[in-house]
Amino acid sequence: MTEQAKVPAIRFAGFTDPWEQRKLGDYVVVSTAKNADGRFNKEDVLSVSGEYGIVNQIAFQGRSFAGSSVLNYGIVNTGDIVYTKSPLNSNPYGIIKVNKGIPGIVSTLYAVYRPQDNVHTNFIQVYFEQHERMNNYMHPLVNKGAKNDMKVTAENALKGVVTFPSREEQVIISEFFDRLDSLITLHQRKYDKLVVFKKSMLEKMFPKDGESVPEIRFAGFTDPWEQRKFSEIVDVCSGRDYKHLDEGPIPVYGTGGYMTSVSEALSHNRDAIGIGRKGTIDKPYLLKAPFWTVDTLFYAIPKSDINLEFALCSFLNVDWKSKDESTGLPSLSKESINETVLSVPNVVEQNHLGNFFADLDRLITLHQRKLELLQNIKKSLLDKMFV
């Protein structure tokens, strides 16, 4: 590797020295500390999550998966590094995380390391957070067993080569990604809370089965809601195959959302609700005209006296899986939709409800986009701020 290749594309001001190639074993050492004295018990067992790092097993998974004895478990102190010798999603050779929480213990399936004075422990986690970097490092060191388990010792996992900067630069890089992670977590929590809030409001702002008024209602509305069938509030239409069409500006939607764009539309000027006919039948979503839908998707156009957003909320409030008519691939018929009974208020109250949930959806989408933007920024910087 040339001296120029040992410098990342993006760097903090003041740092000019090339990064150094050394074995990982020059920065961390194997920890042999065991729980032989029984200082820790099953409540202290830790697990390693790709998304959340090192977590308490009971707090994260709801129970302990420890064996009858934890005396041979490895002790993990705050700041220790843990390598999980098992494949996880995008990491077929396992993952490396730093214990940023309280001390605990891990099973013998994990390797535990202590950082040396020449490395900032959080930098180790950031360095290996990029899936490609982790996989490229571990691939030559690991042999996979018949059960897809990792055949690598804790010592051999340290024999690969890494390229690190000075400890001072490691600290600044680590602190930068810590702040970025905190911002991502903040928007994730806001997004999650809004999704839960919407679910709660869908339950409380629509009447329960057998009732004619909702638990929560806008001021000024007292009339009972009327029971009607979906056939009275929407016209359910079937999607069609699009492969004979030319490319164009009209979006084509399937059960999973946008698919491609074509030259013609099934609905030119009427928005609708899309709901799966085959496969995914439980995730209705809004379709803005003009659009085309495939033959595995129904589109339901609200009648003239029905608010579009209210109709979407009504679709979201139905357990469509319970109306599955197939013993194999989930299947929903037009008749099932049309015959399903729901409660409907007058159009003014519909508009209030529709506007409320439309505003809520816009807020959810805003935080979702911010979250995705930050995640993409992090992914890019994990590539450009490292050699």
Side-chain angles (χ1 to χ4, degrees), residues 38 95 102 166 168 211 228 280 298 303 307 315 347 362:
I95 57 177
I102 63 175
S166 67
E168 183 183 5
E211 299 181 6
R228 297 166 71 176
T280 304
F298 289 123
K303 295 184 183 291
N307 178 280
F315 269 90
V347 69
R362 279 190 284 270

Side-chain angles (χ1 to χ4, degrees), residues 111-165:
V112 183
Y113 306 101
R114 287 196 321 271
Q116 306 244 55
D117 292 339
N118 62 350
V119 70
H120 182 62
T121 185
N122 288 350
F123 181 82
I124 299 284
Q125 176 168 310
V126 176
Y127 183 86
F128 285 111
E129 199 158 337
Q130 189 195 57
H131 300 321
E132 184 180 5
R133 186 177 296 118
M134 177 65 187
N135 296 337
N136 288 342
Y137 174 85
M138 281 295 177
H139 178 253
L141 308 175
V142 172
N143 291 317
K144 286 195 173 185
K147 296 182 179 180
N148 207 29
D149 56 331
M150 302 293 151
K151 301 297 184 182
V152 59
T153 65
E155 291 79 11
N156 283 344
L158 300 180
K159 292 182 177 180
V161 174
V162 294
T163 308
F164 284 6

Side-chain angles (χ1 to χ4, degrees), residues 174-229:
S174 301
E175 290 175 346
F176 170 79
F177 279 98
D178 281 344
R179 291 193 294 271
L180 184 56
D181 283 339
S182 295
L183 194 57
I184 289 172
T185 300
L186 174 65
H187 283 287
Q188 181 71 64
R189 286 174 179 167
K190 287 182 177 179
Y191 171 78
D192 291 343
K193 285 181 179 179
L194 286 168
V195 170
V196 171
F197 177 70
K198 178 182 177 180
K199 182 179 179 181
S200 175
M201 289 299 99
L202 282 170
E203 293 175 356
K204 294 179 179 180
M205 298 184 77
F206 285 74
K208 293 180 172 61
D209 289 343
E211 299 181 6
S212 61
V213 294
E215 180 181 340
I216 296 176
R217 204 168 188 186
F218 289 102
F221 296 101
T222 57
D223 292 341
W225 291 28
E226 296 181 1
Q227 280 203 330
R228 297 166 71 176
K229 293 181 178 180

Side-chain angles (χ1 to χ4, degrees), residues 234-277:
V234 294
D235 292 316
V236 180
C237 309
S238 297
R240 288 158 46 193
D241 180 63
Y242 65 91
K243 294 183 179 63
H244 62 288
L245 301 173
D246 296 327
E247 291 186 9
I250 308 300
V252 177
Y253 294 98
T255 54
Y258 172 79
M259 296 176 61
T260 185
S261 297
V262 295
S263 56
E264 295 181 25
L266 287 178
S267 179
H268 291 276
N269 52 19
R270 296 291 306 277
D271 297 338
I273 296 102
I275 182 168
R277 183 176 69 84

Side-chain angles (χ1 to χ4, degrees), residues 18-19 63 75 84 92 98 108 110 121 126 183 206 210 214 219 238 258 260-261 275 296 318 335 338 344 350 376 387:
W19 289 25
R63 53 163 291 195
I75 294 176
T84 130
V98 171
T108 55
Y110 299 89
T121 185
V126 176
L183 194 57
F206 285 74
S238 297
Y258 172 79
T260 185
S261 297
I275 182 168
T296 57
V318 176
E335 290 71 26
N338 284 334
V344 181
Q350 286 181 40
N376 288 333
V387 174

